[in-house]
Amino acid sequence: MQRYFVKEKEQDTLLLELTDLHHIKNVMRNRPGDFIECIYQDELYICEIEDPISTRVKIVEKKMENHESLYDVTIAIALVKEQKMDLILQKLTELGIKKIIPVKMERSIIQLDDSRIQKKKERWQKICKEAAEQSKRNKIPEITDVMTVGQLKNLSFDQKYICSTKNSRNFNYSYLQKQKKYATMIFVIGPEGGISPKEEDLLESFGYVPVSFGSRVMRVETAAIYVASVLNFCSMG
């Protein structure tokens, strides 16, 4: 069954968004009597389509099912080109990341002005919503406003990491096994040119710990997927 996230509930019915109704009718070609999965306030409901032109669907069953990762992970990712950003958002969502922070960095090729940021954020949230539905998640990752490196100082996490190309701790499964099961973690990933030495020094002064992926230098999208994949594997162990 296809999954959809809904924002409104009225007694024994849930209210779909118009874009979801279009998807149900014209893409999935569902008919009256078909069932879909709906997530309302992180909880899963099985619903029946009664009227194909109505946004209302009838709740048939509430299920206790949660596919969320055990790790509460935030990725702070530098602004990159649109195609790469789309891929990063999609894969981080599929791999269970809870929050994504777009960050302006010195070596970012993309520089967004205030007039474009809100439009971009709406697009990013839509990508995450669709990826969360496809991957059967109970939550859509939160995408924050665009931040600067300096604004990462006051964020509260149990452990803070910089994905560094310098000689630092090797980030892998065995490294994570030596750490406590932290409730919240954040990883900062730089743009195509990497995090500048000045920015890395600043983050270290904020309490962020540099970690390395070994001898290989990865593209930004590969680094993001690698981090999320390792954490996803650890949460299964």
Side-chain angles (χ1 to χ4, degrees), residues 34-61:
D34 287 345
F35 296 95
I36 59 173
E37 294 179 344
C38 293
I39 299 291
Y40 174 71
Q41 295 185 347
D42 303 337
E43 295 184 318
L44 173 61
Y45 295 86
I46 304 300
C47 298
E48 181 182 359
I49 299 170
E50 296 184 309
D51 184 345
I53 62 172
S54 173
T55 57
R56 295 177 183 273
V57 290
K58 181 182 178 181
I59 296 173
V60 175
E61 179 186 2

Side-chain angles (χ1 to χ4, degrees), residues 16 21 42 47 58 74 80 102 105 114 122 146 158 177 195 202 226:
L16 298 163
L21 182 61
D42 303 337
C47 298
K58 181 182 178 181
T74 294
V80 292
M105 292 190 177
D114 292 341
E122 290 173 3
V146 177
D158 297 314
Q177 289 294 91
I195 301 172
L202 186 61
Y226 176 82

Side-chain angles (χ1 to χ4, degrees), residues 77-89 102 124:
I77 189 87
L79 293 173
V80 292
K81 293 179 180 178
E82 186 172 278
Q83 189 175 7
K84 287 188 177 183
M85 194 67 170
D86 291 354
L87 175 66
I88 290 167
L89 294 174
W124 294 337

